[in-house]
């Protein structure tokens, strides 16, 4: 299967219980590294693991929080804050955004489609 096809279909990544709330986990979808973030209410977000400012795959190790009620993750290197829902960099409007990916939980499994 081509990488493009892999990123357009739902792929099972892991069990929901494998991801601790308020913590990021790195995963590979096709050849793309993503960061999964689970919130205490069991909502799960998937964003790029690549930090465009630090130029490193580190986002999953960032600090999960919120800004104005919206869930966020802060880069562990330079501390840019990204919205988990949109990928927008909230702390620096000039900084690049990170991509977001569709996520669903089906029968206790986290599935991602990009």
């Amino acid at each position: 299967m081509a990488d493009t096809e892999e990123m357009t279909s739902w792929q099972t990544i892991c069990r929901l219980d494998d991801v601790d709330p308020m913590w990021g986990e790195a995963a590979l979808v096709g050849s793309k590294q993503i960061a999964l973030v689970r919130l205490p209410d069991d909502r799960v977000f998937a964003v790029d693991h690549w930090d465009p400012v630090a130029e490193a795959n580190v986002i999953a190790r960032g600090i999960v929080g919120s800004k104005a009620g919206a869930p966020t993750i802060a880069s562990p290197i330079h501390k840019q804050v990204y919205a988990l829902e949109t990928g927008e960099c909230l702390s620096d409007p000039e900084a690049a955004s990170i991509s977001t990916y569709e996520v669903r939980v089906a029968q206790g499994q986290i599935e991602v489609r990009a």
Side-chain angles (χ1 to χ4, degrees), residues 4-108:
T4 302
E5 292 173 13
E6 289 176 7
M7 294 297 289
T8 58
S9 62
W10 288 104
Q11 292 189 34
T12 301
I13 305 302
C14 62
R15 294 178 313 131
L16 178 64
D17 292 342
D18 291 336
V19 180
D20 292 328
M22 300 300 287
W23 188 255
E25 293 292 343
L28 191 61
V29 177
S31 61
K32 182 79 171 171
Q33 291 188 38
I34 64 167
L36 293 174
V37 177
R38 177 181 170 192
L39 299 183
D41 62 5
D42 289 339
R43 283 185 295 160
V44 179
F45 295 90
V47 297
D48 279 339
H49 187 40
W50 180 257
D51 180 338
V53 177
E55 297 184 345
N57 284 308
V58 295
I59 293 295
R61 294 295 158 244
I63 301 165
V64 179
S66 65
K67 184 170 185 173
T72 61
I73 192 160
S75 167
I77 302 207
H78 296 295
K79 309 301 186 243
Q80 282 81 13
V81 177
Y82 297 95
L84 287 171
E85 294 173 326
T86 65
E88 175 187 7
C89 184
L90 301 175
S91 57
D92 182 359
E94 301 297 315
S97 296
I98 56 177
S99 295
T100 61
Y101 304 95
E102 288 182 77
V103 179
R104 69 181 181 193
V105 178
Q107 298 178 338

